[in-house]
Amino acid sequence: MIEVNSLKKVFGDTTVLESIDFSVEKGEVVCLVGPSGSGKTTLLRCLNLLETPDGGTVTIGKKTMAFDGSGRVKKRDVNDMRTYTGMVFQGFHLFPHRTVMENIIEAPLTVQGRNRAELVREGEELLGKVGMLEHKDKYPDALSGGQQQRAAIARALMMQPEVMLFDEPTSALDPQTVGEVLRVMESLASEGLTMVIVTHEMNFARRVADKVLFMDGGYIVESGTPADVLENPKEARTREFLQLLEE
Amino acid sequence: MIEWFRDIQWEHLFDPELAWESLPFLMQGLQITMLIALAGMVFSLLLGLVLAMGRMSKYRLLRWPARMYISFMRGTPLLVFLFILYYGLPVIGVQFPSAIVAGIVGISMNFAAYSAEVIRSAIMSVPRGQWESAASLQMNYWQTMRRVIIPQATRIALPPTTNIFLDIVKGTSLVSVITVHELLYSSRLVAAQSWDAMTMYITAALIYWAVCVVISYFQERLEVRYSRYLSKR
């Protein structure tokens, strides 16, 4: 489903991603973990081209793109690539001037030109699934962080992506609403949705991930099953990081 | 000091009868004022939008002229610009069909510069995350602009845009100097005839004020409408 080869990303003089190789199979859940500044979020954003990589290739679904470091990409290619992915942001980024229902049907309506009544039906079903149906006519400002994030997940799902990208989806939440968002994500995983998740929730990664990538300093230091990486890390840096989290 | 105050002839401050009798004549002037003001609002907003887009463009060839234009218009008095249009241009053989047209053009071109800055800052104040989430949903630049950014920017731009509109209404009085028979011009005619400048200019001021009060009222209504998605705190 996803194939990344020798991916590179530079911001000015600093290299934030270097020779990144990994792949994600259909239906797999992959968690990216590591200290802040390690490049996890940048890697995720390279997958839907919110950042343009400076080298390497990325394949998602049937679309492959190679990057030559010029920073130039064709709009057409970017669009093709994005049809495969949906993204959930740390800060939700719902459209504040639209209700929950309007938020989730906005893109299918304007981008795909689909029928409104049909979308509303689909939307109600999806909102039911993430436990947001009763809030469908509220504006984001009237919702808690956890509710907003669940609505944002539904909004991304409405475009029927083959891969969902989560960028620290619970980091901006109050502790008491983290659980409701993780539960929604877990149920999506159990339905076989392919997901790539940047997270600091190690227990969630242990329980849900098929694969964990530990990143530090722009490299993938270690990867494997949660048991391998999180319980019996081989690399010293992974051990240090996990120890710090426990303290 | 006290003598100076005692000598003021309060009985000549305001002659309601004269004000009332000249009202129909002043209303004719007000029509021209409103024509120029409304046209000025519409055109300055449209031109302002174009200028704002130019100013934010990634192409220097669009950015620079927009920048220069805004700098020039904000840095020169409207009255001087009106003189250039109405008295200056005929020297090189360019003539407006009427002074009213020259006034509308001058006011629109001048206030467009202010409008451009308001629009630009409103658009820039919409958080970057809105662009990114729209992009991740495959919305393109114009879809994002139209459906996501502009509705939010409108709420932000509303109070400063109203300020510009109020300035436009008041700014129309300047075109009286280029022979347009608008409200101030009409008041001056009556003032000259009746030898009562005080009454006539106070009346004119009150009429301008009334127009501005109406505009402020609409702003408040619109502000409520555009803020309905925010919880009352």
Side-chain angles (χ1 to χ4, degrees):
Chain A
M1 180 59 69
I2 301 182
E3 179 83 47
V4 174
N5 285 312
S6 21
L7 189 77
K8 184 180 176 179
K9 177 67 189 174
V10 184
F11 285 131
D13 294 334
T14 29
T15 303
V16 283
L17 292 176
E18 184 77 77
S19 44
I20 300 284
D21 292 289
F22 74 98
S23 63
V24 181
E25 301 302 318
K26 194 174 166 60
E28 252 184 351
V29 176
V30 173
C31 284
L32 298 177
V33 302
S36 24
S38 59
K40 314 177 296 281
T41 291
T42 307
L43 175 53
L44 196 73
R45 289 164 62 88
C46 281
L47 295 180
N48 72 347
L49 299 172
L50 284 183
E51 305 291 351
T52 306
D54 293 302
T57 62
V58 175
T59 303
I60 302 184
K62 294 189 184 68
K63 182 75 187 172
T64 300
M65 279 178 81
F67 303 95
D68 58 5
S70 68
R72 278 195 291 274
V73 281
K74 289 203 192 84
K75 268 190 194 151
R76 184 74 199 276
D77 289 335
V78 173
N79 260 325
D80 286 351
M81 200 75 144
R82 284 182 182 155
T83 59
Y84 291 100
T85 57
M87 189 163 200
V88 173
F89 299 85
Q90 183 179 348
F92 332 130
H93 303 334
L94 288 172
F95 305 135
H97 58 304
R98 304 238 190 263
T99 64
V100 167
M101 180 56 84
E102 289 167 346
N103 257 280
I104 71 170
I105 67 171
E106 175 63 36
L109 204 61
T110 49
V111 177
Q112 299 171 334
R114 293 180 52 199
N115 174 282
R116 188 184 201 103
E118 194 181 299
L119 284 170
V120 168
R121 258 199 314 279
E122 248 172 66
E124 281 175 349
E125 200 177 309
L126 202 48
L127 287 176
K129 226 166 80 174
V130 300
M132 284 295 292
L133 189 55
E134 57 178 318
H135 303 300
K136 71 181 168 74
D137 295 322
K138 290 189 184 159
Y139 288 99
D141 199 49
L143 302 173
S144 74
Q147 292 168 334
Q148 290 191 53
Q149 195 59 298
R150 284 184 284 145
I153 291 171
R155 180 176 67 168
L157 288 172
M158 280 297 280
M159 292 297 273
Q160 299 166 324
E162 301 201 20
V163 183
M164 279 286 278
L165 309 174
F166 293 85
D167 182 14
E168 301 196 29
T170 58
S171 296
L173 297 179
D174 292 332
Q176 67 267 28
T177 60
V178 169
E180 62 191 59
V181 172
L182 293 180
R183 272 195 297 281
V184 166
M185 290 169 62
E186 200 164 342
S187 85
L188 292 174
S190 68
E191 285 172 27
L193 186 68
T194 312
M195 317 204 311
V196 182
I197 305 165
V198 173
T199 187
H200 293 295
E201 299 286 337
M202 291 305 150
N203 289 326
F204 175 81
R206 256 181 219 115
R207 208 166 56 238
V208 182
D210 297 299
K211 195 152 65 181
V212 174
L213 306 183
F214 173 74
M215 290 185 70
D216 192 18
Y219 293 90
I220 295 177
V221 175
E222 190 164 355
S223 70
T225 64
D228 290 340
V229 178
L230 300 178
E231 311 304 334
N232 306 299
K234 285 193 231 16
E235 302 290 330
R237 273 190 286 177
T238 319
R239 278 199 293 272
E240 269 168 45
F241 173 71
L242 291 171
Q243 228 149 38
L244 272 174
L245 280 189
E246 269 164 43
E247 277 163 15
Chain B
M1 182 65 198
I2 292 174
E3 264 169 48
W4 170 82
F5 193 76
R6 208 179 46 210
D7 288 346
I8 294 178
Q9 299 163 19
W10 291 106
E11 67 276 17
H12 293 312
L13 178 67
F14 191 74
D15 177 357
E17 212 168 315
L18 175 64
W20 181 251
E21 277 168 8
S22 53
L23 213 51
F25 183 68
L26 295 187
M27 285 298 128
Q28 287 173 20
L30 181 64
Q31 279 180 24
I32 303 297
T33 292
M34 290 313 292
L35 170 73
I36 297 171
L38 290 174
M41 290 174 196
V42 172
F43 291 128
S44 65
L45 215 53
L46 290 177
L47 183 57
L49 195 63
V50 174
L51 285 166
M53 292 295 170
R55 184 92 159 69
M56 290 185 293
S57 168
K58 56 180 171 181
Y59 302 109
R60 200 175 306 166
L61 221 65
L62 294 175
R63 222 162 48 221
W64 258 94
R67 230 192 147 111
M68 284 299 294
Y69 180 97
I70 291 167
S71 169
F72 178 77
M73 284 301 179
R74 294 210 306 175
T76 51
L78 173 56
L79 188 56
V80 174
F81 187 58
L82 289 172
F83 277 13
I84 292 175
L85 290 183
Y86 193 69
Y87 298 118
L89 285 182
V91 174
I92 59 166
V94 181
Q95 199 125 23
F96 285 98
S98 75
I100 293 180
V101 175
I104 290 173
V105 169
I107 282 177
S108 303
M109 287 182 68
N110 195 268
F111 283 103
Y114 297 92
S115 177
E117 288 298 272
V118 165
I119 292 168
R120 185 180 69 94
S121 63
I123 286 175
M124 305 253 286
S125 68
V126 177
R128 214 165 65 112
Q130 293 289 305
W131 285 99
E132 291 189 343
S133 65
S136 77
L137 293 163
Q138 301 163 46
M139 294 173 77
N140 64 30
Y141 178 84
W142 285 110
Q143 286 165 342
T144 307
M145 254 310 180
R146 204 164 47 85
R147 308 276 305 181
V148 178
I149 305 301
I150 290 181
Q152 295 181 60
T154 303
R155 184 181 71 83
I156 299 164
L158 212 53
T161 301
T162 308
N163 276 342
I164 293 177
F165 283 1
L166 297 179
D167 278 340
I168 288 178
V169 169
K170 294 180 288 180
T172 56
S173 61
L174 289 175
V175 301
S176 65
V177 183
I178 58 167
T179 75
V180 177
H181 293 225
E182 43 65 81
L183 178 56
L184 181 60
Y185 194 95
S186 310
S187 315
R188 205 165 62 199
L189 286 183
V190 183
Q193 254 172 27
S194 62
W195 291 85
D196 190 349
M198 194 59 169
T199 295
M200 289 322 295
Y201 292 141
I202 286 180
T203 308
L206 291 176
I207 294 172
Y208 281 115
W209 187 22
V211 171
C212 289
V213 166
V214 172
I215 291 173
S216 304
Y217 169 78
F218 279 119
Q219 176 205 340
E220 278 164 32
R221 287 272 302 269
L222 276 173
E223 227 172 301
V224 170
R225 210 179 112 196
Y226 272 94
S227 306
R228 64 167 185 253
Y229 59 80
L230 299 173
S231 313
K232 285 152 201 80
R233 296 201 174 92

